Amino acid sequence: MFNLLKSDMYRLVHGKMLWVATAVLAGCIVLCAAMMHWVSDPQFLCDAAKMSATVTVTEADELDVAADEAAREMAEATAEERERAMGAASGVGEEGGVADGGSAGFEALLEFEDPSKLSAADFEETSREMRTIDAPTFMFGDMLVSGGFLGALVAVVVALLIASDFSTKFVRNLPMDRRGRVAYYGGRLVLVAVVALYFLAVGCVLSLVAFLAAGFTFAALDGAAELLVFLGLSWLCLVAYGCMTAVLVWLTRSAGAGVAFALVVATGIAGTMAGSLLQNFGMAVPALAAVQPWLLSTCMNHDLALPAASLLLPAEGAAWAIPVGAQVAIVGAFWVAACTALALAVLRRRDV
C-alpha cells in the first residue's frame, strides 16, 4: 500500500490536475478578497449613499408633484366638495394619517444631512467595522467550508483522479488478488485524505494572506485548541465527501457521476433540500426533525460556519449532552468508516 501511495503522490504532483485546481482555488480567494475590499472602501460607501439619497430625493419630488396636482384639483372643486374634502382630511389626521408632515420631515432631514456634502471621510468608521472579522476560523468557515466550495473542489479532484485509473488502464498493471485490491482501495482512500488536507491547508493560508493584504483585520485570534478542533473537523468532513465520491466513481466507472455528485451533494445543495424536508415533515413526525442536525451537509454548512468556540457548546436537540464538535466528528467518522467498509468489503470483489 505504501509503495502504491508513493506512486499516486508522484503522479498527482507531476500532473496538471492538482495545480489547475490550486490555481482555481487561489483565483477565487483573491477575487473574493478584492470584492470585499472594494465594497468596504470608504469612497464606494460614500458613492452608494449619495446614489441612494438621489433616488430618495427623486421619489420626494414625485410626491411633491402629486401634491401640487391634487391642490389644483382641490382649487377647481366646488365649495361644498372642498368642505367635504377638508373634513375627510381632518378626520384622517386625527386617526394618525399624515399628508404633508412626512414630506416636510423628509425635506428637513435632507437639509440636515445634505448628500452633496458627504465625503469618504464620513465612512471611515463604517469601513473599519466592515473590514474587521471576528476571528480567523470564522473567515475560514464562512468562506471556504460552509459555502460548499472547498468540498466541491476536493470531490471533483477525487472524481477525476479515481476515474483516470480506468481511462489510463492504470489498474491493469496492478496485482488484483485479495491483498492487491485491499492495497489499491486502501491506498486510494488515504490519498483522498491527503488531497483534502492539502486543499484545506492551502485554502486557509491563501485566504489569510489575501484578506490581510486587502486591509482586513481580526477582532480576536482563536486559541490553539479551538483552531485545531475547527481544522480537524473541517478536514474530516472534506474526507467524508471525498470518500463518498471515490466509492461512487468505483461503482459507476464514470468521472461524470463523480463531478455531478460534487456539484449537487458536496456543495450542500442536496443536503439543504433534505434538511428542509425533514424540518417540514418533522412538524408531524418529531423524529424526522431530530435527524436534520446529523446530516453531513448540516455539519458543513451550519456547524462549521459558526465561531470555533461554539463547537465546544452542547449540540442543540441532541439526545445526549454532547458538544457540537463531537456531533460533527461522529457524523464525519461514520461516513468515512462506511465508505471504507464498502470499498474493502464489497468493491474489492469486483474486477476493477
Side-chain angles (χ1 to χ4, degrees), residues 233 236-237 290-295 298-299 303 311 313-320 322-333:
L233 294 177
L236 182 60
C237 291
V291 176
Q292 192 266 343
W294 295 92
L295 296 178
T298 302
C299 298
D303 296 339
L311 295 174
L313 299 177
E316 181 180 356
W320 304 280
I322 60 174
V324 176
Q327 187 178 30
V328 175
I330 292 173
V331 174

PDB file of all heavy atoms in Angstrom, residues 233 236-237 290-295 298-299 303 311 313-320 322-333:
ATOM      1  N   LEU A 233     -12.029  19.030  12.331  1.00  0.00           N
ATOM      2  CA  LEU A 233     -13.392  18.677  11.942  1.00  0.00           C
ATOM      3  C   LEU A 233     -13.667  19.032  10.477  1.00  0.00           C
ATOM      4  O   LEU A 233     -14.358  18.283   9.774  1.00  0.00           O
ATOM      5  CB  LEU A 233     -14.391  19.389  12.857  1.00  0.00           C
ATOM      6  CG  LEU A 233     -14.376  18.946  14.325  1.00  0.00           C
ATOM      7  CD1 LEU A 233     -15.351  19.784  15.136  1.00  0.00           C
ATOM      8  CD2 LEU A 233     -14.730  17.469  14.449  1.00  0.00           C
ATOM      9  N   LEU A 236     -12.064  16.346   8.413  1.00  0.00           N
ATOM     10  CA  LEU A 236     -12.812  15.101   8.479  1.00  0.00           C
ATOM     11  C   LEU A 236     -14.036  15.132   7.574  1.00  0.00           C
ATOM     12  O   LEU A 236     -14.333  14.148   6.871  1.00  0.00           O
ATOM     13  CB  LEU A 236     -13.232  14.837   9.924  1.00  0.00           C
ATOM     14  CG  LEU A 236     -13.987  13.535  10.196  1.00  0.00           C
ATOM     15  CD1 LEU A 236     -13.136  12.329   9.812  1.00  0.00           C
ATOM     16  CD2 LEU A 236     -14.407  13.454  11.658  1.00  0.00           C
ATOM     17  N   CYS A 237     -14.742  16.255   7.545  1.00  0.00           N
ATOM     18  CA  CYS A 237     -15.925  16.365   6.681  1.00  0.00           C
ATOM     19  C   CYS A 237     -15.528  16.372   5.206  1.00  0.00           C
ATOM     20  O   CYS A 237     -16.225  15.785   4.364  1.00  0.00           O
ATOM     21  CB  CYS A 237     -16.707  17.625   7.027  1.00  0.00           C
ATOM     22  SG  CYS A 237     -17.525  17.564   8.638  1.00  0.00           S
ATOM     23  N   ALA A 290     -35.373  15.484  14.247  1.00  0.00           N
ATOM     24  CA  ALA A 290     -34.170  15.178  15.028  1.00  0.00           C
ATOM     25  C   ALA A 290     -33.048  14.649  14.150  1.00  0.00           C
ATOM     26  O   ALA A 290     -31.882  14.661  14.558  1.00  0.00           O
ATOM     27  CB  ALA A 290     -34.501  14.168  16.123  1.00  0.00           C
ATOM     28  N   VAL A 291     -33.366  14.187  12.935  1.00  0.00           N
ATOM     29  CA  VAL A 291     -32.345  13.667  12.029  1.00  0.00           C
ATOM     30  C   VAL A 291     -31.570  14.791  11.362  1.00  0.00           C
ATOM     31  O   VAL A 291     -30.381  14.635  11.038  1.00  0.00           O
ATOM     32  CB  VAL A 291     -32.997  12.750  10.974  1.00  0.00           C
ATOM     33  CG1 VAL A 291     -31.975  12.261   9.950  1.00  0.00           C
ATOM     34  CG2 VAL A 291     -33.673  11.568  11.650  1.00  0.00           C
ATOM     35  N   GLN A 292     -32.215  15.920  11.152  1.00  0.00           N
ATOM     36  CA  GLN A 292     -31.617  17.008  10.386  1.00  0.00           C
ATOM     37  C   GLN A 292     -30.257  17.479  10.914  1.00  0.00           C
ATOM     38  O   GLN A 292     -29.331  17.680  10.132  1.00  0.00           O
ATOM     39  CB  GLN A 292     -32.615  18.176  10.316  1.00  0.00           C
ATOM     40  CG  GLN A 292     -32.251  19.252   9.319  1.00  0.00           C
ATOM     41  CD  GLN A 292     -31.473  20.387   9.946  1.00  0.00           C
ATOM     42  OE1 GLN A 292     -31.474  20.530  11.173  1.00  0.00           O
ATOM     43  NE2 GLN A 292     -30.809  21.187   9.135  1.00  0.00           N
ATOM     44  N   PRO A 293     -30.051  17.627  12.234  1.00  0.00           N
ATOM     45  CA  PRO A 293     -28.716  18.045  12.710  1.00  0.00           C
ATOM     46  C   PRO A 293     -27.618  17.030  12.456  1.00  0.00           C
ATOM     47  O   PRO A 293     -26.434  17.369  12.540  1.00  0.00           O
ATOM     48  CB  PRO A 293     -28.933  18.258  14.223  1.00  0.00           C
ATOM     49  CG  PRO A 293     -30.395  18.459  14.384  1.00  0.00           C
ATOM     50  CD  PRO A 293     -31.026  17.595  13.334  1.00  0.00           C
ATOM     51  N   TRP A 294     -27.983  15.771  12.137  1.00  0.00           N
ATOM     52  CA  TRP A 294     -26.997  14.724  11.931  1.00  0.00           C
ATOM     53  C   TRP A 294     -26.659  14.522  10.460  1.00  0.00           C
ATOM     54  O   TRP A 294     -25.950  13.566  10.107  1.00  0.00           O
ATOM     55  CB  TRP A 294     -27.498  13.413  12.529  1.00  0.00           C
ATOM     56  CG  TRP A 294     -27.633  13.478  14.018  1.00  0.00           C
ATOM     57  CD1 TRP A 294     -28.743  13.827  14.741  1.00  0.00           C
ATOM     58  CD2 TRP A 294     -26.608  13.202  14.978  1.00  0.00           C
ATOM     59  NE1 TRP A 294     -28.474  13.791  16.082  1.00  0.00           N
ATOM     60  CE2 TRP A 294     -27.173  13.403  16.266  1.00  0.00           C
ATOM     61  CE3 TRP A 294     -25.277  12.798  14.886  1.00  0.00           C
ATOM     62  CZ2 TRP A 294     -26.446  13.222  17.431  1.00  0.00           C
ATOM     63  CZ3 TRP A 294     -24.552  12.614  16.045  1.00  0.00           C
ATOM     64  CH2 TRP A 294     -25.129  12.823  17.300  1.00  0.00           C
ATOM     65  N   LEU A 295     -27.134  15.388   9.598  1.00  0.00           N
ATOM     66  CA  LEU A 295     -26.755  15.337   8.192  1.00  0.00           C
ATOM     67  C   LEU A 295     -25.348  15.899   8.019  1.00  0.00           C
ATOM     68  O   LEU A 295     -24.958  16.856   8.689  1.00  0.00           O
ATOM     69  CB  LEU A 295     -27.736  16.127   7.336  1.00  0.00           C
ATOM     70  CG  LEU A 295     -29.186  15.632   7.290  1.00  0.00           C
ATOM     71  CD1 LEU A 295     -30.036  16.573   6.439  1.00  0.00           C
ATOM     72  CD2 LEU A 295     -29.267  14.213   6.754  1.00  0.00           C
ATOM     73  N   THR A 298     -25.423  19.527   7.118  1.00  0.00           N
ATOM     74  CA  THR A 298     -25.668  20.420   8.254  1.00  0.00           C
ATOM     75  C   THR A 298     -24.380  20.698   9.008  1.00  0.00           C
ATOM     76  O   THR A 298     -24.124  21.832   9.422  1.00  0.00           O
ATOM     77  CB  THR A 298     -26.712  19.800   9.198  1.00  0.00           C
ATOM     78  OG1 THR A 298     -27.916  19.546   8.480  1.00  0.00           O
ATOM     79  CG2 THR A 298     -27.016  20.740  10.351  1.00  0.00           C
ATOM     80  N   CYS A 299     -23.572  19.660   9.184  1.00  0.00           N
ATOM     81  CA  CYS A 299     -22.285  19.846   9.862  1.00  0.00           C
ATOM     82  C   CYS A 299     -21.384  20.804   9.086  1.00  0.00           C
ATOM     83  O   CYS A 299     -20.704  21.648   9.686  1.00  0.00           O
ATOM     84  CB  CYS A 299     -21.591  18.498  10.046  1.00  0.00           C
ATOM     85  SG  CYS A 299     -22.505  17.334  11.087  1.00  0.00           S
ATOM     86  N   ASP A 303     -22.780  24.031  11.238  1.00  0.00           N
ATOM     87  CA  ASP A 303     -21.958  23.936  12.441  1.00  0.00           C
ATOM     88  C   ASP A 303     -20.570  24.546  12.243  1.00  0.00           C
ATOM     89  O   ASP A 303     -20.065  25.274  13.102  1.00  0.00           O
ATOM     90  CB  ASP A 303     -21.826  22.472  12.866  1.00  0.00           C
ATOM     91  CG  ASP A 303     -23.173  21.876  13.259  1.00  0.00           C
ATOM     92  OD1 ASP A 303     -24.084  22.666  13.584  1.00  0.00           O
ATOM     93  OD2 ASP A 303     -23.325  20.644  13.228  1.00  0.00           O
ATOM     94  N   LEU A 311     -18.178  25.265  18.819  1.00  0.00           N
ATOM     95  CA  LEU A 311     -18.047  23.823  18.641  1.00  0.00           C
ATOM     96  C   LEU A 311     -17.918  23.091  19.971  1.00  0.00           C
ATOM     97  O   LEU A 311     -18.118  21.875  20.039  1.00  0.00           O
ATOM     98  CB  LEU A 311     -16.827  23.520  17.762  1.00  0.00           C
ATOM     99  CG  LEU A 311     -16.894  24.024  16.316  1.00  0.00           C
ATOM    100  CD1 LEU A 311     -15.570  23.793  15.611  1.00  0.00           C
ATOM    101  CD2 LEU A 311     -18.027  23.349  15.557  1.00  0.00           C
ATOM    102  N   LEU A 313     -19.742  23.974  22.607  1.00  0.00           N
ATOM    103  CA  LEU A 313     -21.012  24.113  23.310  1.00  0.00           C
ATOM    104  C   LEU A 313     -21.885  22.885  23.067  1.00  0.00           C
ATOM    105  O   LEU A 313     -21.699  22.160  22.076  1.00  0.00           O
ATOM    106  CB  LEU A 313     -21.740  25.370  22.838  1.00  0.00           C
ATOM    107  CG  LEU A 313     -21.001  26.696  23.066  1.00  0.00           C
ATOM    108  CD1 LEU A 313     -21.805  27.848  22.486  1.00  0.00           C
ATOM    109  CD2 LEU A 313     -20.719  26.913  24.549  1.00  0.00           C
ATOM    110  N   PRO A 314     -22.877  22.621  23.939  1.00  0.00           N
ATOM    111  CA  PRO A 314     -23.759  21.467  23.734  1.00  0.00           C
ATOM    112  C   PRO A 314     -24.536  21.580  22.435  1.00  0.00           C
ATOM    113  O   PRO A 314     -24.982  22.661  22.048  1.00  0.00           O
ATOM    114  CB  PRO A 314     -24.690  21.508  24.957  1.00  0.00           C
ATOM    115  CG  PRO A 314     -23.938  22.292  25.986  1.00  0.00           C
ATOM    116  CD  PRO A 314     -23.129  23.298  25.218  1.00  0.00           C
ATOM    117  N   ALA A 315     -24.690  20.465  21.758  1.00  0.00           N
ATOM    118  CA  ALA A 315     -25.426  20.438  20.497  1.00  0.00           C
ATOM    119  C   ALA A 315     -26.911  20.611  20.763  1.00  0.00           C
ATOM    120  O   ALA A 315     -27.468  20.020  21.695  1.00  0.00           O
ATOM    121  CB  ALA A 315     -25.169  19.124  19.766  1.00  0.00           C
ATOM    122  N   GLU A 316     -27.556  21.415  19.933  1.00  0.00           N
ATOM    123  CA  GLU A 316     -28.991  21.671  20.106  1.00  0.00           C
ATOM    124  C   GLU A 316     -29.799  20.491  19.604  1.00  0.00           C
ATOM    125  O   GLU A 316     -29.596  20.003  18.488  1.00  0.00           O
ATOM    126  CB  GLU A 316     -29.377  22.934  19.335  1.00  0.00           C
ATOM    127  CG  GLU A 316     -30.837  23.308  19.474  1.00  0.00           C
ATOM    128  CD  GLU A 316     -31.174  24.563  18.700  1.00  0.00           C
ATOM    129  OE1 GLU A 316     -30.251  25.171  18.128  1.00  0.00           O
ATOM    130  OE2 GLU A 316     -32.358  24.932  18.670  1.00  0.00           O
ATOM    131  N   GLY A 317     -30.712  20.027  20.433  1.00  0.00           N
ATOM    132  CA  GLY A 317     -31.593  18.940  20.028  1.00  0.00           C
ATOM    133  C   GLY A 317     -30.975  17.557  20.087  1.00  0.00           C
ATOM    134  O   GLY A 317     -31.585  16.588  19.633  1.00  0.00           O
ATOM    135  N   ALA A 318     -29.736  17.437  20.604  1.00  0.00           N
ATOM    136  CA  ALA A 318     -29.105  16.124  20.676  1.00  0.00           C
ATOM    137  C   ALA A 318     -29.700  15.306  21.822  1.00  0.00           C
ATOM    138  O   ALA A 318     -30.111  15.848  22.842  1.00  0.00           O
ATOM    139  CB  ALA A 318     -27.601  16.274  20.874  1.00  0.00           C
ATOM    140  N   ALA A 319     -29.723  14.012  21.621  1.00  0.00           N
ATOM    141  CA  ALA A 319     -30.282  13.149  22.654  1.00  0.00           C
ATOM    142  C   ALA A 319     -29.409  13.141  23.900  1.00  0.00           C
ATOM    143  O   ALA A 319     -29.895  12.973  25.012  1.00  0.00           O
ATOM    144  CB  ALA A 319     -30.440  11.725  22.106  1.00  0.00           C
ATOM    145  N   TRP A 320     -28.117  13.291  23.718  1.00  0.00           N
ATOM    146  CA  TRP A 320     -27.201  13.371  24.841  1.00  0.00           C
ATOM    147  C   TRP A 320     -26.564  14.753  24.848  1.00  0.00           C
ATOM    148  O   TRP A 320     -26.497  15.438  23.824  1.00  0.00           O
ATOM    149  CB  TRP A 320     -26.120  12.304  24.719  1.00  0.00           C
ATOM    150  CG  TRP A 320     -26.678  10.928  24.593  1.00  0.00           C
ATOM    151  CD1 TRP A 320     -27.143  10.130  25.591  1.00  0.00           C
ATOM    152  CD2 TRP A 320     -26.864  10.192  23.387  1.00  0.00           C
ATOM    153  NE1 TRP A 320     -27.599   8.941  25.092  1.00  0.00           N
ATOM    154  CE2 TRP A 320     -27.437   8.947  23.742  1.00  0.00           C
ATOM    155  CE3 TRP A 320     -26.591  10.451  22.038  1.00  0.00           C
ATOM    156  CZ2 TRP A 320     -27.753   7.979  22.797  1.00  0.00           C
ATOM    157  CZ3 TRP A 320     -26.899   9.498  21.106  1.00  0.00           C
ATOM    158  CH2 TRP A 320     -27.484   8.269  21.488  1.00  0.00           C
ATOM    159  N   ILE A 322     -23.916  16.332  24.259  1.00  0.00           N
ATOM    160  CA  ILE A 322     -22.596  16.277  23.631  1.00  0.00           C
ATOM    161  C   ILE A 322     -22.317  17.608  22.957  1.00  0.00           C
ATOM    162  O   ILE A 322     -23.226  18.297  22.501  1.00  0.00           O
ATOM    163  CB  ILE A 322     -22.516  15.131  22.603  1.00  0.00           C
ATOM    164  CG1 ILE A 322     -23.564  15.340  21.495  1.00  0.00           C
ATOM    165  CG2 ILE A 322     -22.716  13.785  23.279  1.00  0.00           C
ATOM    166  CD1 ILE A 322     -23.455  14.330  20.373  1.00  0.00           C
ATOM    167  N   PRO A 323     -21.051  18.004  22.873  1.00  0.00           N
ATOM    168  CA  PRO A 323     -20.720  19.263  22.190  1.00  0.00           C
ATOM    169  C   PRO A 323     -21.007  19.181  20.691  1.00  0.00           C
ATOM    170  O   PRO A 323     -21.101  18.091  20.114  1.00  0.00           O
ATOM    171  CB  PRO A 323     -19.222  19.418  22.468  1.00  0.00           C
ATOM    172  CG  PRO A 323     -18.933  18.514  23.618  1.00  0.00           C
ATOM    173  CD  PRO A 323     -19.893  17.377  23.496  1.00  0.00           C
ATOM    174  N   VAL A 324     -21.125  20.345  20.089  1.00  0.00           N
ATOM    175  CA  VAL A 324     -21.363  20.403  18.638  1.00  0.00           C
ATOM    176  C   VAL A 324     -20.208  19.745  17.898  1.00  0.00           C
ATOM    177  O   VAL A 324     -20.404  19.020  16.918  1.00  0.00           O
ATOM    178  CB  VAL A 324     -21.537  21.870  18.197  1.00  0.00           C
ATOM    179  CG1 VAL A 324     -21.688  21.946  16.683  1.00  0.00           C
ATOM    180  CG2 VAL A 324     -22.739  22.496  18.876  1.00  0.00           C
ATOM    181  N   GLY A 325     -18.981  20.004  18.359  1.00  0.00           N
ATOM    182  CA  GLY A 325     -17.824  19.404  17.699  1.00  0.00           C
ATOM    183  C   GLY A 325     -17.854  17.888  17.743  1.00  0.00           C
ATOM    184  O   GLY A 325     -17.470  17.213  16.767  1.00  0.00           O
ATOM    185  N   ALA A 326     -18.302  17.307  18.854  1.00  0.00           N
ATOM    186  CA  ALA A 326     -18.400  15.852  18.945  1.00  0.00           C
ATOM    187  C   ALA A 326     -19.454  15.311  17.977  1.00  0.00           C
ATOM    188  O   ALA A 326     -19.276  14.249  17.366  1.00  0.00           O
ATOM    189  CB  ALA A 326     -18.735  15.446  20.378  1.00  0.00           C
ATOM    190  N   GLN A 327     -20.541  16.049  17.820  1.00  0.00           N
ATOM    191  CA  GLN A 327     -21.575  15.632  16.871  1.00  0.00           C
ATOM    192  C   GLN A 327     -21.034  15.643  15.447  1.00  0.00           C
ATOM    193  O   GLN A 327     -21.270  14.701  14.676  1.00  0.00           O
ATOM    194  CB  GLN A 327     -22.777  16.570  16.987  1.00  0.00           C
ATOM    195  CG  GLN A 327     -23.975  16.144  16.175  1.00  0.00           C
ATOM    196  CD  GLN A 327     -25.157  17.087  16.378  1.00  0.00           C
ATOM    197  OE1 GLN A 327     -24.988  18.269  16.632  1.00  0.00           O
ATOM    198  NE2 GLN A 327     -26.363  16.558  16.260  1.00  0.00           N
ATOM    199  N   VAL A 328     -20.290  16.684  15.096  1.00  0.00           N
ATOM    200  CA  VAL A 328     -19.694  16.754  13.761  1.00  0.00           C
ATOM    201  C   VAL A 328     -18.696  15.618  13.559  1.00  0.00           C
ATOM    202  O   VAL A 328     -18.645  14.998  12.487  1.00  0.00           O
ATOM    203  CB  VAL A 328     -19.010  18.121  13.558  1.00  0.00           C
ATOM    204  CG1 VAL A 328     -18.283  18.170  12.218  1.00  0.00           C
ATOM    205  CG2 VAL A 328     -20.033  19.254  13.636  1.00  0.00           C
ATOM    206  N   ALA A 329     -17.905  15.325  14.591  1.00  0.00           N
ATOM    207  CA  ALA A 329     -16.916  14.251  14.496  1.00  0.00           C
ATOM    208  C   ALA A 329     -17.594  12.899  14.289  1.00  0.00           C
ATOM    209  O   ALA A 329     -17.117  12.068  13.495  1.00  0.00           O
ATOM    210  CB  ALA A 329     -16.052  14.231  15.754  1.00  0.00           C
ATOM    211  N   ILE A 330     -18.700  12.670  14.978  1.00  0.00           N
ATOM    212  CA  ILE A 330     -19.425  11.397  14.832  1.00  0.00           C
ATOM    213  C   ILE A 330     -19.959  11.244  13.409  1.00  0.00           C
ATOM    214  O   ILE A 330     -19.840  10.179  12.789  1.00  0.00           O
ATOM    215  CB  ILE A 330     -20.564  11.311  15.859  1.00  0.00           C
ATOM    216  CG1 ILE A 330     -19.989  11.200  17.268  1.00  0.00           C
ATOM    217  CG2 ILE A 330     -21.475  10.125  15.559  1.00  0.00           C
ATOM    218  CD1 ILE A 330     -21.040  11.287  18.354  1.00  0.00           C
ATOM    219  N   VAL A 331     -20.542  12.318  12.880  1.00  0.00           N
ATOM    220  CA  VAL A 331     -21.111  12.258  11.520  1.00  0.00           C
ATOM    221  C   VAL A 331     -20.008  12.028  10.485  1.00  0.00           C
ATOM    222  O   VAL A 331     -20.128  11.164   9.604  1.00  0.00           O
ATOM    223  CB  VAL A 331     -21.887  13.545  11.215  1.00  0.00           C
ATOM    224  CG1 VAL A 331     -22.359  13.551   9.762  1.00  0.00           C
ATOM    225  CG2 VAL A 331     -23.082  13.684  12.149  1.00  0.00           C
ATOM    226  N   GLY A 332     -18.928  12.794  10.580  1.00  0.00           N
ATOM    227  CA  GLY A 332     -17.843  12.640   9.615  1.00  0.00           C
ATOM    228  C   GLY A 332     -17.199  11.274   9.697  1.00  0.00           C
ATOM    229  O   GLY A 332     -16.936  10.622   8.663  1.00  0.00           O
ATOM    230  N   ALA A 333     -16.938  10.800  10.913  1.00  0.00           N
ATOM    231  CA  ALA A 333     -16.310   9.489  11.077  1.00  0.00           C
ATOM    232  C   ALA A 333     -17.225   8.373  10.579  1.00  0.00           C
ATOM    233  O   ALA A 333     -16.747   7.372  10.023  1.00  0.00           O
ATOM    234  CB  ALA A 333     -15.954   9.269  12.549  1.00  0.00           C
TER     235      ALA A 333
END
